[in-house]
Amino acid sequence: MAKTAQPQGVRWGLMDRALATVAPRAAAKRYAARVSIANMRRGYEGAQKGRHTDGWRTANTAADTEIGAAGSLLRDRMRDLVRNNALAAQAVQVLVNNLVGYGIRPRAASGNKTLNKKVDKLFEQWSKRADAHGHTDFYGLQVLAVREMLEGGDLFALKRPLRRDEAKGGVPMQVELREADHLDTSKFLEEVGGRRIKQGIEYDRSGRRQAYWMYPDHPGDVSLAFSRRLDSVRLPSDMVAHLFERQRVQSRGVPWGTPALTALRDLGDWQVAEMVRKKTESCMVGIVFGDDQELSATPTIKDDQGRTIEQFEPGLIAYASGGKDIKFNQPAATPGIREWNLVQMHIIAAGFRVPYVLMTGDLSQANFSSSRVGLNEFRRMIEQVQWQIVIPMLCERIWDWFIDAAYTAGLISSADVPAEWAPPRFESVNPLQDAQTDLLEVRAGFASTPQMIGKRGYDPLEVLGEQAQFVEEADRLGLVFDSDPRKVTNAGLAQAKDPLDVDADPANPPPGHEKA
């Protein structure tokens, strides 16, 4: 007789059998309920409760609630680690180098060549004095802004209009950067009409940002203890650019190295403890067993009056009674230190989202292929942050302020001038191979020459103009270079004729040079 299959993990027990003999329907319901409970338990192991998850503390709070409670302490701890921990400092520097480098450069793209040229020239002049504090230029502001976002989680850029006499004929606007601490997070308000203020950010009834409540002076500036202003000031949202990474539906950011904070601290504490242990072991050189009647339980040194001087220093020898032998101390070796350190540093690198080799400089376990694969994934992340965070939340906002100020001052004829942004190019791991690949893509029509020039961080029109000027000057001086296809073939041989010379072959003129 065939047996009925039972759901895996749910046993048909003695009570089920007994109940089935007198009340089959009740037994069926009972068994179905047991199966349902078992299925729920098997659905997600991570949601099960028991001895293995007793210490797992979770909460279903909103992102802003969690950041409001922990954001300030996370900033303080991250800044302390960046100041004092070499790994944290290097991780932040690697991210800044790759996200900004020498600067994410704009280029006017209005469709009007004359207007574009004028706007680009105005921006080049303005960028040199863009910093309201006068320390750096526009690209230096980008570096500082991204660094503040990485360390503190947030960065605020403020539009600072200038008077005509202050602008000295240029665009009357500058940019001031403020750290996350300037935001008055204690500011809360709920109105019947829908207006509300949460953690210093003001929203309208539809949830759009209307203003920021900020302290004019840094709350932590102890040099201004008696003169700093402690009342927050309302700044309209169109005067502020807020740079932060959104990992959930949230209004504030957290430091990038937050997942690695504990690992960084633990690794630093372990290294200090191991160093203290080694120093302590090195303080005891050996023990001498002598004939002295007095047994010294601890290393001692006495002065001329017989008083014991308590001290513990490298090279000490302790004396014991017996005077027949001396045994030197041998500090114990700790196996697996390197492997343990490697694991911890890999965890820290993952928490900062940077490759291990870039954070530590350790290339001993890397080869060409593994390095390239790791860098490719890192570069995808960098490009994502550039195009989805830094450019739209900071660069585009400042460009709009610049265009608006230039148009209001009568320096340009249109207030609608979009920009094309060119992040710094990534250094090639294999320059020859990458250049050949780019050339093949252009020749196959997969990409254009301007795209390849722009990928390297240059303006295609500027490159063409510079190249035309260079070729003209080379012709005037009678110089021939391998890079000039009019004179030299791809194989490095002299051209039989100039490809642009119409008179050389009237029957087959080059494209664009046909005679009417």
Side-chain angles (χ1 to χ4, degrees):
M1 182 177 177
K3 293 184 178 180
T4 303
Q6 297 179 7
Q8 185 178 3
V10 182
R11 190 173 61 87
W12 182 262
L14 180 61
M15 185 175 293
D16 295 313
R17 294 191 185 96
L19 185 61
T21 58
V22 295
R25 184 173 297 178
K29 289 183 178 180
R30 181 179 183 274
Y31 189 71
R34 292 176 58 200
V35 171
S36 178
I37 293 174
N39 288 336
M40 291 174 60
R41 288 177 176 174
R42 288 199 303 269
Y44 291 97
E45 292 183 0
Q48 292 182 1
K49 295 182 179 180
R51 291 177 299 173
H52 297 294
T53 57
D54 282 344
W56 195 340
R57 307 284 181 176
T58 60
N60 61 347
T61 52
D64 286 338
T65 302
E66 296 173 0
I67 296 172
S72 178
L73 184 57
L74 288 175
R75 286 197 302 271
D76 295 342
R77 289 180 174 178
M78 177 54 66
R79 289 167 178 167
D80 177 73
L81 286 171
V82 172
R83 286 194 298 265
N84 299 292
N85 188 288
L87 293 177
Q90 177 63 8
V92 170
Q93 188 62 51
V94 167
L95 289 168
V96 173
N97 291 346
N98 284 271
L99 286 170
V100 181
Y102 51 75
I104 302 175
R105 300 178 179 271
R107 184 171 63 249
S110 66
N112 185 326
K113 293 183 178 181
T114 303
L115 178 60
N116 290 345
K117 187 175 181 180
K118 186 173 184 179
V119 170
D120 289 339
K121 185 176 181 180
L122 281 174
F123 187 85
E124 182 182 359
Q125 297 172 350
W126 173 83
S127 65
K128 297 177 181 178
R129 55 177 185 81
D131 184 7
H133 294 153
H135 298 305
T136 184
D137 60 3
F138 172 67
Y139 306 106
L141 290 177
Q142 289 181 350
V143 171
L144 181 58
V146 170
R147 174 176 285 276
E148 286 291 345
M149 180 190 72
L150 298 174
E151 286 190 26
D154 298 86
L155 182 282
F156 298 96
L158 277 59
K159 177 183 178 181
R160 291 299 187 197
L162 299 176
R163 297 192 306 269
R164 291 289 184 90
D165 57 336
E166 294 176 327
K168 299 179 180 180
V171 178
M173 189 272 295
Q174 287 182 322
V175 178
E176 177 188 353
L177 300 185
R178 288 187 178 179
E179 294 183 333
D181 311 81
H182 281 267
L183 190 66
D184 184 3
T185 55
S186 64
K187 197 81 170 179
F188 285 87
L189 178 67
E190 290 283 348
E191 292 185 350
V192 179
R195 175 175 171 267
R196 59 192 174 93
I197 302 175
K198 185 173 65 174
Q199 296 185 29
I201 304 177
E202 182 179 325
Y203 304 88
D204 63 12
R205 61 184 304 172
S206 62
R208 297 188 185 92
R209 299 190 181 200
Q210 296 297 304
Y212 296 84
W213 291 82
M214 306 187 74
Y215 298 112
D217 300 319
H218 195 293
D221 191 348
V222 296
S223 64
L224 301 175
F226 301 102
S227 61
R228 68 169 178 258
R229 291 163 287 180
L230 299 178
D231 294 330
S232 56
V233 178
R234 185 181 186 273
L235 299 175
S237 59
D238 59 356
M239 301 284 288
V240 180
H242 185 191
L243 178 64
F244 69 103
E245 182 190 23
R246 298 183 71 192
Q247 296 179 334
R248 293 176 60 186
V249 180
Q250 61 194 72
S251 303
R252 302 289 307 278
V254 296
W256 267 49
T258 296
L261 283 178
T262 304
L264 276 166
R265 179 70 174 177
D266 290 345
L267 179 60
D269 289 347
W270 179 87
Q271 290 174 341
V272 171
E274 184 67 17
M275 183 62 68
V276 171
R277 186 178 72 85
K278 290 296 185 183
K279 288 183 177 180
T280 303
E281 289 179 345
S282 67
C283 288
M284 181 68 71
V285 176
I287 299 177
V288 176
F289 295 87
D291 292 330
D292 301 340
Q293 297 298 321
E294 180 182 358
L295 176 64
S296 177
T298 59
T300 60
I301 297 178
K302 296 183 179 181
D303 59 12
D304 54 356
Q305 298 180 2
R307 293 175 299 189
T308 301
I309 300 176
E310 296 183 356
Q311 68 179 47
F312 206 61
E313 60 184 18
L316 275 181
I317 297 178
Y319 286 85
S321 61
K324 297 180 180 179
D325 193 12
I326 179 171
K327 293 184 177 180
F328 290 95
N329 183 40
Q330 297 181 356
T334 305
I337 290 181
R338 183 177 185 278
E339 290 73 16
W340 189 87
N341 272 276
L342 287 176
V343 171
Q344 295 302 309
M345 288 190 289
H346 275 90
I347 293 174
I348 294 170
F352 274 101
R353 289 174 272 176
V354 299
Y356 164 81
V357 295
L358 297 183
M359 185 185 73
T360 63
D362 179 14
L363 299 172
S364 60
Q365 304 298 320
N367 55 42
F368 178 80
S369 299
S370 63
S371 298
R372 190 154 191 170
V373 171
L375 288 177
N376 285 341
E377 183 61 29
F378 177 64
R379 289 173 177 178
R380 290 190 190 98
M381 187 271 292
I382 291 295
E383 290 177 341
Q384 175 193 359
V385 175
Q386 288 173 335
W387 289 103
Q388 297 181 5
I389 298 178
V390 179
I391 291 177
M393 300 180 74
L394 178 71
C395 300
E396 286 284 2
R397 294 294 304 279
I398 295 178
W399 176 267
D400 293 340
W401 294 344
F402 163 78
I403 294 297
D404 180 69
Y407 177 74
T408 304
L411 300 176
I412 56 177
S413 58
S414 175
D416 184 17
V417 182
E420 292 180 353
W421 296 90
R425 68 185 181 92
F426 292 110
E427 296 296 333
S428 175
V429 179
N430 190 334
L432 176 61
Q433 187 180 72
D434 290 343
Q436 291 173 340
T437 302
D438 292 345
L439 181 61
L440 290 175
E441 288 186 0
V442 172
R443 288 186 170 181
F446 299 151
S448 65
T449 301
Q451 286 178 328
M452 293 301 172
I453 296 176
K455 186 176 74 171
R456 287 162 170 78
Y458 302 110
D459 184 347
L461 296 180
E462 289 185 2
V463 172
L464 287 179
E466 184 178 345
Q467 183 68 13
Q469 183 179 359
F470 173 76
V471 169
E472 181 180 353
E473 183 66 15
D475 290 344
R476 188 183 68 82
L477 297 175
L479 301 176
V480 177
F481 296 92
D482 280 353
S483 59
D484 189 351
R486 302 173 306 157
K487 306 294 181 64
V488 183
T489 66
N490 191 38
L493 303 176
Q495 289 276 16
K497 61 179 180 179
D498 189 343
L500 298 180
D501 189 356
V502 179
D503 298 330
D505 189 0
N508 297 299
H513 294 266
E514 296 87 353
K515 294 182 179 180

